[in-house]
Amino acid sequence: CLLLVVFGLYIDTTSPFLVQLASKLGYNKNQYAVIIDAGSTGSRVLAYKFDRSFIDNKLVLSDELFKERKPGLSSFADAPEKGAHSIKLLLDEARAFIPKDKWSSTPLVLKATAGLRLLPHSKAENLLNAVRDLFTKSEFSVDMDAVEIMDGTDEGIFSWFTVNFLLGRLSKTNQAAALDLGGGSTQVTFSPTDPEQVPVYEKYMHEVNTLNQKVNVFTHSYLGLGLMAARHAVFTKGYAKDETSLESICVNPIISNRTWIYSNVEYKISGKDHAKSTQENPIVDFDACLDLIKSKVMPLVKPKPFTLKEHTIAAFSYYFERATESGLIDPFAGGEITVEAYRKKAQAVCAIPNDEQPFMCFDLTYISVLLHEGFGLGEGKKIKLYKKIDGHEISWALGCAYNVLMSDDKFNS
């Protein structure tokens, strides 16, 4: 954690008590930021309240707002005004959280991720322009580039920053690796421990300014390896592009014509009969499903993060959600599991007909393939799963907010 020398005393700036004390003594001022994460499956507003120290100008997170709306912005590709309205409802939540006299000094940013990256350029721009019009009337501080499709590199780096910021590991030499599994893409970010590894990843290395040092970080966003994109690739294999009635070997035969919407297209998904399944005991052919997923995953894992296994790993988003929904970990406490635990749970789920979670067999099998065969993690490798750390959401948005407030002279004065 950060230590300040004040009148000969060391003050821990990450201590909430001392932050409040410094604020009462006039050593801090409140600063806010509003970040909207326009993801492929939903849009989220994260409004942050920081205490900025007059002594060292550092930011300490003291409060936050998190609200989510579904579906994602990309779902309004043919109705951009409706898309902008869904963002307005989130913006109204931020207005209620932030004192009105702070609005004009609060940066407002919307970053869209894989959902908009996968849309035709003209449709994506129409959505972004509708949001830009909304933002100009917001009374918050809005820059020219406040609304844009975020580069996958930034998404990975901001997530890595968020995880290590909240874990108090930014100033250390053994930062955690960050694995983020979204709907359209997945990000892998870590700081190689051996300087000799850096040239191997040269094309994917970036220098990141942390609290008191510069860190070389590997990051890559694997477009098409998000959970929903992978589902689509596997479910549609062997079908014509415009076919929407699909049977999949990765879905239990008891499932018939289950509605699933992806990229604004409504599909009807059914399980596929096979020799191993009977009417009395309907199951998924796990081995066949596993092989099919491997054939779709492996070609897209380039570059392969082969030294990821050397790091403490923090995973979130769908990694966390599917682990809680399948009973692998407690939804409130989070937890630590092995890569093998995902595979074993996948096998168990695929062997049981489950009408309420028709795609859980695929989802868990996919995650296990991505981690083991894709990223090269051993079966015994431990994964720390998070949704929150110390009450704060794990999201690239926190890293983005910190970056805006610290890099722009308008706020960092």
Side-chain angles (χ1 to χ4, degrees), residues 41 49 80 92 97 109 178 226 244 265 273 281 300 332 340 370 404:
T41 57
K49 177 185 178 183
D92 289 343
F97 175 76
V109 172
T244 57
V265 177
D273 281 319
N281 187 30
L300 295 180
F332 301 104
E340 184 183 31
L370 186 64
V404 169

Side-chain angles (χ1 to χ4, degrees), residues 116-181:
L116 260 70
R117 287 182 209 134
L118 295 168
L119 283 181
H121 177 75
S122 60
K123 290 193 174 187
E125 273 304 304
N126 288 341
L127 278 167
L128 295 177
N129 284 332
V131 174
R132 289 179 182 121
D133 289 343
L134 171 70
F135 276 22
T136 58
K137 305 164 190 170
S138 70
E139 298 184 63
F140 288 100
S141 179
V142 179
D143 281 352
M144 291 286 291
D145 59 352
V147 178
E148 63 181 5
I149 296 176
M150 182 164 61
D151 185 88
T153 296
D154 287 342
E155 191 173 356
I157 289 174
F158 289 151
S159 293
W160 174 88
F161 183 98
T162 296
V163 166
N164 286 285
F165 179 84
L166 294 177
L167 289 174
R169 298 177 74 142
L170 274 180
S171 58
K172 299 179 181 178
T173 56
N174 61 336
Q175 294 94 356
L179 301 190
D180 185 357
L181 180 59

